[in-house]
Amino acid sequence: MTSASPLHPRPLAGKRIVVTRPREQAEGFAALIREVGGEPIVFPALEIRDLADLKPFFALADRLEAFHLAIFISPNAVHKALNLLRARRRGKPWPARLRVAALGRGSRRELEQ
């Protein structure tokens, strides 16, 4: 989104926009909507939580070399999974044959970082 200016009127003026991002991520997006004239309605549709039981995740992490492809579906998934993998694998390198796929530009950016 771009800021409103005389050349670019407030494109969302008079519009109410429902923001369904998780509560902790909604305010930044809501501020962008306000900036271009919209009225954000923050209505989190999901909540991102840590895993209650890490055993199944760690069981996969311990045999990461056996997999061919790791698919990440969101920047949140990248962030949380990689932090857990780093902690579990204690400095072991990423398996050479394990390819990575990301759904969306945000996930890809998070992986590249």
Side-chain angles (χ1 to χ4, degrees), residues 24-47:
E24 61 276 0
Q25 297 174 353
E27 192 47 47
F29 193 57
L32 292 173
I33 291 169
R34 279 188 213 93
E35 186 178 310
V36 293
E39 179 188 344
I41 300 166
V42 177
F43 187 82
L46 60 104
E47 179 181 1

Side-chain angles (χ1 to χ4, degrees), residues 21-104:
R21 298 194 63 88
R23 185 166 307 285
E24 61 276 0
Q25 297 174 353
E27 192 47 47
F29 193 57
L32 292 173
I33 291 169
R34 279 188 213 93
E35 186 178 310
V36 293
E39 179 188 344
I41 300 166
V42 177
F43 187 82
L46 60 104
E47 179 181 1
I48 298 170
R49 295 191 206 173
D50 292 333
L51 294 171
D53 180 5
L54 292 173
K55 288 178 190 171
F57 182 87
F58 287 156
L60 291 174
D62 291 344
R63 52 190 199 93
L64 211 51
E65 288 76 12
F67 295 95
H68 297 281
L69 181 63
I71 302 171
F72 294 90
I73 61 167
S74 73
N76 291 311
V78 172
H79 179 74
K80 289 191 175 280
L82 290 184
N83 283 342
L84 286 170
L85 285 170
R86 284 185 196 109
R88 181 64 175 192
R89 294 176 58 83
R90 297 183 196 101
K92 282 186 187 177
W94 188 261
R97 77 176 200 169
L98 181 56
R99 299 192 54 159
V100 176
L103 301 181

